[in-house]
Amino acid sequence: MDGVVSTLTRIPLKGVVIVHFILTIWASQCVWLSPAYQYMNLFLLIVALWAIGTPSSIDSIQMLLVLHVISIVMEVILISVYFPKYTDAGSTEFKFSAAMAIINLILRPITAVIIATHYRARGGETNIGFSNPTYKGYENFDNPPTIGIPPQGSTPAGPSMGNQYGGP
């Protein structure tokens, strides 16, 4: 499994972004898709550039991964809703545009795995959901820890300070 992960992290994030950028442009050459398709991919491109520009940031790559997965669902919805509505569906321009949108959609899960490996390589956790980084696990309130609290009946260690008037 580590061999697959190391192979996938060798695929540069820039290459993933460039492939989706070109396919999105080709898919947008015909007006059959909703403007939401272009806006979604433009926002995804901006977040991807943020992730490339800040290679030490976990937040940027996590945001890219989340939006990339959301874009898979959005593209399925947009392509399935707007595909049959185009009036000039027999044209070569439409066929090419639709083919590029479908190829872009097919490549999204593969590139999501690549982005996820980059996320793990940057130190991100792969647990499901959002976690609290300050959470330390289960804390037993019935038996609180006694670190730093002396046992009852003992005197604190160290020199005796005496009373406030200087005597012992």
Side-chain angles (χ1 to χ4, degrees), residues 106-126:
I106 290 170
L107 288 179
R108 287 246 185 240
I110 298 166
T111 55
V113 172
I114 294 169
I115 293 170
T117 57
H118 281 278
Y119 173 65
R120 287 187 62 200
R122 289 188 187 185
E125 298 178 8
T126 55

Side-chain angles (χ1 to χ4, degrees), residues 66 85 105 112:
V66 168
K85 290 189 175 193
L105 178 61

Side-chain angles (χ1 to χ4, degrees), residues 4-166:
V4 173
V5 171
S6 65
T7 304
L8 289 177
T9 52
R10 286 188 206 145
I11 298 172
L13 196 57
K14 293 175 187 177
V16 170
V17 172
I18 288 170
V19 165
H20 283 295
F21 177 70
I22 291 171
L23 289 172
T24 300
I25 289 175
W26 285 344
S28 301
Q29 285 183 347
C30 196
V31 293
W32 68 279
L33 280 169
S34 166
Y37 183 82
Q38 287 87 11
Y39 292 134
M40 176 191 63
N41 282 297
L42 176 65
F43 189 69
L44 195 62
L45 176 67
I46 291 169
V47 173
L49 292 175
W50 175 39
I52 291 170
T54 56
S56 61
S57 172
I58 296 174
D59 292 336
S60 61
I61 195 80
Q62 181 183 27
M63 185 67 112
L64 177 62
L65 180 60
V66 168
L67 290 176
H68 197 79
V69 171
I70 290 171
S71 73
I72 294 171
V73 176
M74 292 298 295
E75 283 189 13
V76 167
I77 292 170
L78 290 172
I79 291 172
S80 63
V81 166
Y82 289 100
F83 185 78
K85 290 189 175 193
Y86 189 64
T87 57
D88 196 18
S91 72
T92 308
E93 180 184 43
F94 169 76
K95 289 177 184 177
F96 180 76
S97 176
M100 293 304 113
I102 292 169
I103 290 171
N104 193 22
L105 178 61
I106 290 170
L107 288 179
R108 287 246 185 240
I110 298 166
T111 55
V113 172
I114 294 169
I115 293 170
T117 57
H118 281 278
Y119 173 65
R120 287 187 62 200
R122 289 188 187 185
E125 298 178 8
T126 55
N127 59 351
I128 303 297
F130 296 96
S131 63
N132 184 357
T134 60
Y135 180 68
K136 304 290 187 224
Y138 176 74
E139 185 175 340
N140 189 353
F141 289 108
D142 292 336
N143 297 320
T146 58
I147 300 172
I149 301 173
Q152 290 182 354
S154 66
T155 58
S160 175
M161 299 302 287
N163 64 17
Q164 66 184 12
Y165 301 109

